[in-house]
Amino acid sequence: MNKSENVVTRFAPSPTGYLHIGGARTALFNWLFARKNKGKFILRIEDTDRQRSKQEYVEDIIEALRWLGLHWDEGPIFQSQRLDYYNSIIERLLKEGKAYYCHCDPEELEKKKKEAMARGEKPRYDRKCRDLGLGPAPGAVVRIKAPLIGITQFKDIIKGNISVPNEELDDIIIRRSDGTPTFHLAVVADDIDMGINYIIRGDDHLNNTPKQIIIYQALNASIPKYAHIPLILGPDRSRLSKRHGAMPVLNYKEMGYLPEALVNALARLGWSYGNQERFTVEELIEKFSLERVGKSPGIFNAEKLLDLNAWHIRNSSDEYLAKELVPFIKKLGIQEVTEQDTIKLVSILKKRSKTLVEMAEKSLFYFGMDVEYEEDAEKNYLTPQVLALLSDLTDRISKLESFGQKNLEEVFIKFLDDHKIKLKEIAQAIRVALTGKTVSPGLFEMMEVLGKEKVVYRLKRAIEHIKRKTVME
RNA sequence: GGUCCCAUCGUCUAGUGGUUAGGAUACCGGCCUCUCACGCCGGCGGCAUGGGUUCGAAUCCCAUUGGGACCGCCA
């Protein structure tokens, strides 16, 4: 292969399920590799199995890839629309004597297979029709003529040299009796046609590769480079499936994860760059390489994703976060929320939130005039002892012209000094008055965000509350 | 069963013959401090086992064990 050749990669999911993190990572590696090398990334939908393929899954996959920011340069190309092309390839193989019609009865074959398994032999087609020179017939399939001797080998970028004795290979079916091409044929035909020169896919295809190389050879096509990435395993170390942890990628969106965080986590599962753990998408493109992908399978670590998400939230711009946060706040029933509101909230909440869901929940103190006191908070901090202090503080704050953190701090310094107390002694009471809770962002930044009107209102309400409580006792 | 692949803290990983085996996460302490968080400091915890090769193996070789994948008219 010459050096000027442009990299062309593809992600080729079959729409028989939603996109989960395994597929997403395969897509990511293909995308990163193409971007890194200024190449092309193609999206191809492998929907030759009409029974299992569903339109809703196509849509899910596309939406998930878009959300992750893995934009493709070509496609989506649907295999179901290219049947004529596959048939022309099959006809060519037939004509050149590299494939043949097989009339064997499927049930009989199945029986033989089971018997072979029972005897401890490898289940394989006995090649009965291989040299019979049969023609098309109802129920007939087309098989590839695999070489009988020798070895098929290739160098995988990640796994190294892989070789398989040809005796192990079968004359696999390339066209079903209904005339549709099988997976192996369609994949190879498409990859040749689309000029795919780097095939980056899951480890589960490692055993398929020799079978596909045989098709390449029969077609006299140049064989692409392969990179088989190790699988992502479930917590029980078995292949990731819907049952454990293999959530749809779009669920992470709903749970308040940033796509950048998921991309970061997925990239670091299998790929590494020294001791660096946290990457922006730009950094990943710059630093990604297939040589640094590990060989062993890994388990997806949700804790790490959470940490990464917190980091990406902390390091995102307020504007971006505000935009992303709005729908989450609305989901909590605050319909009147604006991006203006959230941008202020985000600035004080981004260091304290691991997800957008959490951030939305923490935003709630801002909305409405009244706050609801948590029972223990009210009992422990809204006490008669702080009544005079709160009254005086409210007076002082009411007189403030501009309501910035600086001004507030100045007022507090004077206030604390006059009363000979530490901030510590009154902070929690103020916090409860303003938020109803014992945990919140810093007092001054929070007051600035709330604005003078709400701060004074809530302080006065707390004072009234204490008075009322005192009288009742 | 056959073939192929894999094996460092619980998890993700760095490491390519000489390191007190490093980082991240989680967990536990401490500092900072108006609470929480952030940040900072410290701790816990690992080379699957057995043989070689070598002056010297996490690193190279073999075996064992364990795990995974594939063996479809699914992809």
Side-chain angles (χ1 to χ4, degrees), chain A residues 231-301:
Chain A
L231 257 25
I232 299 176
L233 269 26
D236 62 352
R237 299 218 132 255
S238 70
R239 187 181 176 167
L240 202 59
S241 72
K242 277 129 212 169
R243 239 172 300 143
H244 44 237
M247 272 187 293
V249 162
L250 288 172
N251 272 22
Y252 289 96
K253 180 186 182 185
E254 276 177 40
M255 291 188 291
Y257 287 93
L258 256 26
E260 297 87 332
L262 191 54
V263 161
N264 190 161
L266 256 19
R268 274 297 280 104
L269 216 198
W271 174 82
S272 63
Y273 191 81
N275 278 336
Q276 188 175 349
E277 299 284 344
R278 293 159 173 176
F279 298 84
T280 62
V281 176
E282 292 70 32
E283 272 180 300
L284 286 174
I285 292 171
E286 185 197 324
K287 292 170 174 170
F288 185 78
S289 70
L290 292 172
E291 285 72 21
R292 295 201 62 91
V293 175
K295 292 181 180 185
S296 52
I299 298 168
F300 183 69
N301 192 189

Side-chain angles (χ1 to χ4, degrees), chain A residues 432-450:
Chain A
V432 174
L434 295 179
T435 68
K437 300 179 191 337
T438 54
V439 173
S440 84
L443 244 30
F444 303 120
E445 51 184 1
M446 195 167 57
M447 283 194 260
E448 180 180 326
V449 167
L450 280 169

